[in-house]
Amino acid sequence: MHYPWWHVPFLTAPMLIALVSLLHIVVSHYAVGGGLFLAVETQHAYRSGNRVYLSYLKDHAWFFILVTVVYGAITGVGIWWTIGLASPLATEALIHIFVFGWAMEYVFFLVEITAAFIFYYYWDRLDPWTHQVVAWIYAFSAWMSLVLITGITAFMLNPGSWPAHHGFWTAFFNPQFLPQVLARTGGSLLLASLYVYLHAALTVKPPQLYRLIESRSARPALLGAVLVVIGGLGWYASLPPSARAALVDASVLNVLMVLLFLCTAAVFAMLYLGPYRNPSWLSPGFAILFFASGLGAITTGEYIREAVRKPYILYNVVLGNQILPEEIAPLRRSGYLEGGTWTEAFVAARYPQVMSAGKVDAAKLLGLPESDQVHLGETLFQYHCNDCHAAAAGYSALTQLTRGWTAEMIRPVVEHPEKAHFFMPPWAGTTEEAELLTKYLVSIAPPHPPGMNYGAGSAGQ
Amino acid sequence: MIDPAQLIGPSSALGAPAPYWFLVFFKVLGFTLHTAFMHVWFAGSIVALLLGRSGGVHSQLLSARLLRRMPIVIAYGVNFGIVPLLFTQVAYYKVFYPATILMAWPWFSIFVLLTVAYYGTYLYAGGLHEGSRLTPLRHAAGWTAAILFLAIGFLFTNAFSLMANVAAWPHLWLTSSVAGAPMGTALNLGDPTLWPRWLMMFGIALTTTAAYIGIDSSLFAVETPDPYRQWGRGFAFKLYSFGVFWFACAGLAYLATWPVELRDAAFSGWRAALMLLTALAPGLPWLLLMRQSRSGERRALTWAVGIAQFGVLALNAVSRQVVQNLQLDRFVDVVSEPVSLQWSPLLSFLVLFVAGVAVIIWMLSKAVAAGRRRLAPDPAAEPR
């Protein structure tokens, strides 16, 4: 409400964040795990004098740079782009709290890319010791960037005592910090092994080298799996009660939780039965399936992590519809249209007749012609509801949720959405505005599907 | 009729984490570093591709040298771009978010276009390595990338000019919104400063590319024959001259679009001296490049070219900031935002920044040393 709300048809703007984030994390975790893989394995190859393995590692480093330095880096910037567009108030708050956290992460990025380029482009020119040091500098920097960004994203789910104390370190070392660092570190190790298997399965021909790659990457993958489980349990234990309830309550999250468990179980089983116990099983097809299962697990996990925050975007700090919790009570008195920077300007421009002394007069709203009331109801929908609901068609479209509903059924939900579903934000407007929104929702609600048999005399007929 | 000032939201209750001068210092420093690299891909890509089409041996070699390094230039440029963006969002959030939301789709498309352009550059550069050749696909990828870089620059100019052009917001918003929610399809095309700004950026990018070529020809092209290096220095001087001419023409056109009050404010007191210095600054690297093209390889002269061009970029960044603040003066008082100083994170960042720079210098020194005493080639290594 401090900012204009970006109307994205069908998807809704926040779903773009989810989309870009998912596209990013499948590579950003590899950027961390792959860095550790290259550091450990380059060291091993130098120590064992295995020139063939070293040569493979150089090939892998090139693949790694192409994937992480280009796609990973740009999609990371893409997340920034998208959160500023789709969640401006939450981004404003995060940047004010964590600007130096991001600045520190940026320093590590800079060290990372310098190390990555020197590691690859000076492969045959640096002496082995310096080469290994550069690899470890990359690995450490990449892991530190994971630690720093996790402090920020974990804060979004559980800010701990920050609302009372407002300190940077209180925000950073929040209750979700350690579990998520463990889970993400584990995810990075595991995912890196899946990338290595995929890359090796498609590019390596000599069986001896292939077996070596498989066996060398199995143990870090298993370690990663253990860390994912420990971190995941810690994540669950540190969830706020509403997030834990959302996992059970929201049917889409039920389905995704099952999918997450299935994908994770498939990855663990394939890891144990394949590279660990029976390395010869790792055919290109197996590696592709393995990789796809890993991507399925990590993207589903990320989606769940984002979704359980509802109704907040920053838990207890900023609501999903870009309102601060402390603004709700004043808005219920003065009106949402009046309280919003852009909504007030919109009403003043389009409906000057409802303005009194430069303010939106809530009492005049219901005196507008019916079509104007519906139109202002749509404005309220855009600024109050569109963060989670498309209107006519698309993501969680309200037409589908209110099919066949009457004004009497819609009004109580509009006036107290948080009572209908605890993961919806409370209504932040006047009674008159609730009526406008109700009229809009009634205007778009399709009729109850005809032809359904509920028995004789049923009201549903 | 909406008063544009009405569209500026309230200040953050959290307060700025550092004083304005600190935020703007890093914003301007970051932007200067960003432009030092971004200019090379923005103008350098198209220059290199045009050179590649000409028949001359030297121009072919220069084209290959430029484009082979372009992926690394892009990586650093993108990274340095994070800094100004970060501090813009802290100090100018009241105008940054609304402006970018009004043009959300074009703004959002930047990172998609950049990904395509980045891979296109890699694809083209891959054809320049030993054992490879420039196939039609690689050619197409290179040209696509160069055109996309120009388009991305145009979109950036749109966003940052719209950020300062608050007066245009109401019209753009009301003509591209659904019940008051912007569709994000606006562009700042009605702003008379837009095209001159974009063209001005291209002009100064040509000068940075020229300075880069001059430095490369003198310092880094040690394995190339003498005639090439000499030609490179001459070409750098010519390109710089052309870039300065372009920059001056676009700059004058840009000045002509300023409202009288902005011109009066920008050319009064110390600001007039700053504007004058900014306009004259490219003269120094131009003179140095002229000398370099005539006197041959001189290390000190080459370093002086680099430092002088960095100074040009820094002055431009400072002037740009001063003008932006003047344009926003009516709407946002960035200096008097409440501050809630975060001492320990700020110091942690500064310490880490120094440590990070030290580590980078160490790695670069090792790389430079290794480049000088190349080890025996690894029989297992494939040329890439």
Side-chain angles (χ1 to χ4, degrees), chain B:
Chain B
M1 188 68 184
I2 298 175
D3 174 7
Q6 250 186 294
L7 299 177
I8 305 292
S11 292
S12 168
L14 297 169
Y20 174 75
W21 65 263
F22 183 93
L23 300 173
V24 85
F25 171 77
F26 273 94
K27 179 178 181 284
V28 169
L29 174 67
F31 185 70
T32 308
L33 289 166
H34 170 62
T35 51
F37 290 89
M38 178 270 284
H39 283 173
V40 177
W41 83 63
F42 182 59
S45 295
I46 205 96
V47 167
L49 288 167
L50 289 171
L51 283 170
R53 284 183 72 88
S54 77
V57 180
H58 295 328
S59 50
Q60 297 276 344
L61 181 54
L62 174 57
S63 169
R65 288 187 67 80
L66 269 172
L67 284 162
R68 258 202 297 256
R69 296 213 176 117
M70 207 57 88
I72 296 173
V73 170
I74 297 169
Y76 278 98
V78 169
N79 252 272
F80 282 125
I82 295 171
V83 187
L85 196 66
L86 181 63
F87 289 103
T88 298
Q89 291 191 53
V90 188
Y92 294 86
Y93 60 99
K94 288 181 186 174
V95 286
F96 175 80
Y97 295 125
T100 50
I101 290 169
L102 288 174
M103 52 169 289
W105 282 114
W107 182 247
F108 179 81
S109 73
I110 284 177
F111 87 92
V112 180
L113 300 179
L114 186 56
T115 308
V116 175
Y118 203 165
Y119 276 118
T121 305
Y122 259 110
L123 200 55
Y124 187 95
L128 297 167
H129 289 285
E130 214 177 310
S132 298
R133 64 186 189 87
L134 281 171
T135 58
L137 174 70
R138 289 185 192 273
H139 266 294
W143 280 99
T144 304
I147 291 163
L148 286 180
F149 287 137
L150 296 176
I152 291 166
F154 183 68
L155 294 176
F156 260 97
T157 311
N158 256 281
F160 283 87
S161 59
L162 184 57
M163 209 175 112
N165 187 19
V166 182
W169 292 5
H171 175 72
L172 289 176
W173 168 43
L174 292 174
T175 51
S176 65
S177 67
V178 173
M183 291 190 289
T185 51
L187 276 174
N188 193 27
L189 298 176
D191 185 343
T193 69
L194 176 72
W195 292 96
R197 269 183 76 155
W198 183 55
L199 292 172
M200 207 167 84
M201 183 166 75
F202 188 74
I204 197 170
L206 283 173
T207 67
T208 310
T209 305
Y212 173 83
I213 293 169
I215 294 166
D216 181 61
S217 302
S218 291
L219 274 188
F220 302 120
V222 283
E223 77 284 6
T224 58
D226 278 345
Y228 165 75
R229 293 205 298 275
Q230 203 175 346
W231 176 88
R233 288 190 293 271
F235 179 78
F237 173 64
K238 285 180 205 154
L239 184 65
Y240 202 99
S241 306
F242 179 63
V244 166
F245 176 71
W246 184 305
F247 181 60
C249 292
L252 286 172
Y254 177 52
L255 275 180
T257 63
W258 286 9
V260 178
E261 56 275 20
L262 176 62
R263 216 176 303 163
D264 288 348
F267 287 95
S268 66
W270 62 271
R271 291 193 202 99
L274 176 68
M275 297 298 150
L276 197 65
L277 197 59
T278 307
L280 295 176
L284 180 59
W286 180 77
L287 285 171
L288 292 168
L289 279 169
M290 181 168 65
R291 180 129 178 86
Q292 193 192 37
S293 69
R294 288 176 184 171
S295 65
E297 274 172 22
R298 285 169 64 182
R299 227 176 167 71
L301 199 58
T302 308
W303 279 104
V305 169
I307 293 165
Q309 184 62 18
F310 191 79
V312 169
L313 299 182
L315 277 168
N316 264 279
V318 172
S319 295
R320 175 182 174 275
Q321 192 57 65
V322 167
V323 172
Q324 190 182 56
N325 283 3
L326 288 172
Q327 287 174 300
L328 288 172
D329 201 32
R330 220 190 100 211
F331 305 102
V332 188
D333 186 1
V334 283
V335 182
S336 60
E337 279 280 303
V339 176
S340 179
L341 193 58
Q342 296 182 359
W343 269 114
S344 59
L346 186 151
L347 289 174
S348 304
F349 160 63
L350 290 177
V351 169
L352 196 65
F353 183 73
V354 172
V357 169
V359 171
I360 289 170
I361 289 171
W362 179 81
M363 286 192 289
L364 290 175
S365 70
K366 291 289 178 187
V368 170
R372 283 189 187 139
R373 49 157 179 77
R374 186 163 187 165
L375 296 175
D378 182 347
E382 288 287 314
R384 183 70 69 184

Side-chain angles (χ1 to χ4, degrees), chain A residues 161-172:
Chain A
S161 60
W162 182 84
H165 297 105
H166 274 217
F168 174 90
W169 300 111
T170 312
F172 188 80

Side-chain angles (χ1 to χ4, degrees), chain A residues 105-440:
Chain A
E105 191 197 10
Y106 157 76
V107 173
F108 283 111
F109 279 155
L110 209 54
V111 175
E112 248 182 274
I113 60 160
T114 307
F117 284 136
I118 291 177
F119 178 70
Y120 176 73
Y121 286 107
Y122 287 81
W123 191 283
D124 304 317
R125 297 187 238 178
L126 291 173
D127 63 86
W129 182 83
T130 310
H131 196 212
Q132 290 168 65
V133 171
V134 170
W136 278 107
I137 288 173
Y138 175 88
F140 177 73
S141 307
W143 184 73
M144 278 306 294
S145 66
L146 176 148
V147 170
L148 285 162
I149 197 62
T150 302
I152 299 168
T153 53
F155 169 86
M156 294 170 77
L157 182 52
N158 188 347
S161 60
W162 182 84
H165 297 105
H166 274 217
F168 174 90
W169 300 111
T170 312
F172 188 80
F173 292 111
N174 57 75
Q176 279 280 330
F177 171 71
L178 191 58
Q180 287 203 27
V181 167
L182 284 176
R184 286 187 184 283
T185 304
S188 300
L189 291 171
L190 188 51
L191 198 61
S193 292
L194 301 190
Y195 270 97
V196 172
Y197 291 144
L198 184 68
H199 179 257
L202 298 175
T203 62
V204 173
K205 294 282 177 270
Q208 207 178 348
L209 174 63
Y210 193 43
R211 297 286 171 270
L212 176 70
I213 295 166
E214 282 177 68
S215 62
R216 291 288 304 170
S217 282
R219 283 171 199 276
L222 282 172
L223 172 66
V226 172
L227 288 175
V228 166
V229 172
I230 295 171
L233 291 172
W235 170 82
Y236 184 79
S238 314
L239 281 179
S242 71
R244 220 176 286 176
L247 278 178
V248 184
D249 206 73
S251 51
V252 65
L253 293 184
N254 296 168
V255 175
L256 289 176
M257 281 299 281
V258 173
L259 189 63
L260 174 63
F261 278 116
L262 286 177
C263 287
T264 310
V267 169
F268 289 3
M270 289 168 90
L271 178 63
Y272 181 76
L273 294 172
Y276 191 68
R277 300 287 301 199
N278 304 289
S280 59
W281 287 11
L282 196 66
S283 62
F286 189 100
I288 290 168
L289 189 63
F290 201 6
F291 183 70
S293 303
L295 290 193
I298 198 161
T299 51
T300 314
E302 285 294 329
Y303 187 86
I304 292 169
R305 187 188 64 78
E306 288 280 324
V308 294
R309 284 200 307 260
K310 285 182 180 179
Y312 299 99
I313 199 89
L314 306 182
Y315 195 85
N316 277 351
V317 180
V318 181
L319 285 152
N321 50 7
Q322 306 298 299
I323 304 173
L324 303 171
E326 56 271 24
E327 288 174 333
I328 291 172
L331 287 171
R332 288 183 80 108
R333 287 192 298 274
S334 67
Y336 191 83
L337 294 170
E338 168 58 31
T341 305
W342 289 70
T343 49
E344 192 210 7
F346 180 72
V347 176
R350 290 280 190 258
Y351 304 101
Q353 65 270 40
V354 300
M355 303 298 287
S356 294
K359 290 183 182 299
V360 179
D361 185 346
K364 291 182 179 172
L365 291 172
L366 296 178
L368 285 168
E370 201 65 19
S371 61
D372 291 344
Q373 290 185 43
V374 169
H375 189 227
L376 274 179
E378 188 181 4
T379 304
L380 286 161
F381 166 79
Q382 292 290 345
Y383 278 81
H384 204 291
C385 318
N386 187 230
D387 59 304
C388 290
H389 298 285
Y395 179 69
S396 195
L398 272 178
T399 48
Q400 308 310 320
L401 298 172
T402 58
R403 182 181 289 275
W405 285 25
T406 61
E408 288 66 38
M409 293 163 78
I410 292 174
R411 192 175 296 113
V413 180
V414 166
E415 287 178 341
H416 300 286
E418 79 284 9
K419 288 185 180 161
H421 295 291
F422 69 89
F423 45 79
M424 296 211 335
W427 173 241
T430 60
T431 314
E432 291 85 352
E433 288 174 332
E435 190 56 31
L436 297 184
L437 180 55
T438 303
K439 286 184 177 180
Y440 170 67

